[in-house]
Amino acid sequence: MVFSEFSAWSFILILAVLLVSLLIAEILKHFIPFLRKSLIPGSVLGGIILLIISTIIYFTCGDYLFNLSLFNSGDTYSGMDVLELITYHCLGIGFIAMGMRGSKQKLTKQRTRDVFNAGVTTVNTYLLQALVGITVTIIAVQVFDVTGLIDAAGILLCFGFGQGTGQALNYGTIYEDYGLEGGANFGLTIAAMGFLVACIVGVIYLNVLKRRGVIKVVDKKEQNTLADYEDENEIPVVASLDKFTIQVAIVLAIYAVSFFIMYGLAALIPSLSSILFGFNFLFGVLLTIPVKAVILTPLSAKRS
């Protein structure tokens, strides 16, 4: 390993570019009142900034930002490959992290009913999206004879619009084995379209609700302390092993165990290998449930 070469720094440089774009977005939102009041998420604004920069580089250098040699790790991974890896793994890690969050709300009958209604609405939305998508692709393949496309490609619409980039990428890659040319890019394109629809239409809708007084944006000016965020017997934020480090260790340990489970099942059923690894987030969430119970039960006992 030669540490003076780009290949030794490419992954760090990619992460730095992504995180710096988020910092710039938050700075712009802080100093520009229009952006702060528009309810545009900082991640979306950061992505738009990178999209503009990448487009400028494409027309000046002939290639996109993360395809430049600066971000390529030798012959192993290109910058775009690293972005795909980040997208794939962040899906599973994100679900585990959300699953580890504690909730102070009790599971009452009303809350159970609300959760059930939300689940039914979500499933029906996915089914509607899949029906619309597969209808479009069937017409495109059977009527217009579009080459490189398969009838089932439209199912990716519900993954891209409902599940985000991770699942759209996973199943786009799986569909490549069934004849969908550039399935990964096709899935990511649909996910990007879904993201833009959510950001543009969703933000406009939120602003309409805000003007009608249905929702209110609370701008807190008071100074908060750690006591406002920490519960009794909770892991301290500042210690010899701080809270963030412990949280990262737990999440990554769960994700690593989920990998070995998927790897073992894929060895037993090779034909389902792609599908199993496409549900990395599901295995992570299923493992999170017992781990969360083991960790939170002693704390609950102390509080009582």
Side-chain angles (χ1 to χ4, degrees):
M1 175 66 69
V2 180
F3 295 107
S4 60
E5 294 181 353
F6 285 148
S7 58
W9 290 87
S10 58
F11 182 72
I12 300 298
L13 292 175
I14 291 174
L15 286 181
V17 170
L18 295 177
L19 295 176
V20 167
S21 68
L22 292 178
L23 290 176
I24 294 174
E26 288 300 320
I27 292 172
L28 292 176
K29 288 192 65 176
H30 179 76
F31 287 103
I32 301 177
F34 167 75
L35 294 177
R36 186 168 60 252
K37 296 178 180 179
S38 65
L39 303 180
I40 299 176
S43 57
V44 175
L45 186 58
I48 293 174
I49 293 172
L50 285 181
L51 179 62
I52 294 173
I53 294 174
S54 183
T55 303
I56 294 173
I57 292 177
Y58 178 79
F59 285 106
T60 55
C61 301
D63 211 342
Y64 292 107
L65 174 63
F66 291 104
N67 278 335
L68 299 178
S69 58
L70 176 67
F71 301 107
N72 292 336
S73 56
D75 298 330
T76 307
Y77 294 112
S78 66
M80 298 301 292
D81 291 333
V82 174
L83 289 180
E84 287 190 12
L85 287 173
I86 292 175
T87 301
Y88 172 78
H89 289 302
C90 282
L91 174 70
I93 292 173
F95 269 85
I96 295 172
M98 289 189 294
M100 288 299 298
R101 291 182 60 185
S103 178
K104 297 181 180 179
Q105 295 181 346
K106 295 182 179 180
L107 193 62
T108 61
K109 289 184 178 180
Q110 180 61 38
R111 178 162 172 75
T112 303
R113 190 180 299 111
D114 293 339
V115 171
F116 177 79
N117 292 337
V120 172
T121 303
T122 301
V123 171
N124 288 337
T125 303
Y126 290 168
L127 291 174
L128 180 61
Q129 290 170 344
L131 180 62
V132 172
I134 200 169
T135 301
V136 172
T137 50
I138 288 176
I139 294 174
V141 173
Q142 302 297 332
V143 178
F144 297 100
D145 195 23
V146 178
T147 58
L149 193 66
I150 61 175
D151 294 345
I155 298 179
L156 291 175
L157 185 66
C158 64
F159 291 118
F161 275 66
Q163 292 289 320
T165 53
Q167 283 299 87
L169 172 64
N170 291 340
Y171 280 89
T173 304
I174 293 172
Y175 281 7
E176 289 182 355
D177 297 332
Y178 296 92
L180 179 60
E181 296 181 6
N185 290 329
F186 183 76
L188 289 174
T189 302
I190 292 178
M193 292 171 59
F195 201 62
L196 289 175
V197 170
C199 295
I200 297 174
V201 179
V203 169
I204 293 175
Y205 181 63
L206 286 176
N207 279 280
V208 171
L209 294 179
K210 178 184 174 184
R211 291 192 185 95
R212 293 179 178 178
V214 178
I215 61 174
K216 295 182 179 179
V217 179
V218 180
D219 188 11
K220 293 185 178 181
K221 298 295 184 181
E222 66 271 11
Q223 184 69 30
N224 294 324
T225 63
L226 290 178
D228 298 318
Y229 302 100
E230 287 187 2
D231 294 329
E232 187 181 359
N233 297 319
E234 192 174 349
I235 301 170
V237 175
V238 180
S240 58
L241 190 59
D242 61 280
K243 181 178 182 179
F244 177 73
T245 303
I246 294 175
Q247 290 173 328
V248 171
I250 293 173
V251 170
L252 292 184
I254 294 173
Y255 194 50
V257 174
S258 66
F259 161 74
F260 287 110
I261 292 176
M262 291 185 294
Y263 187 83
L265 291 175
L268 294 174
I269 318 173
S271 59
L272 296 180
S273 177
S274 298
I275 296 176
L276 289 170
F277 280 93
F279 281 96
N280 61 331
F281 69 97
L282 180 60
F283 285 94
V285 170
L286 292 176
L287 287 174
T288 300
I289 296 173
V291 172
K292 183 178 178 180
V294 171
I295 293 175
L296 295 184
T297 299
L299 296 180
S300 300
K302 288 182 180 179
R303 293 192 185 101
S304 61

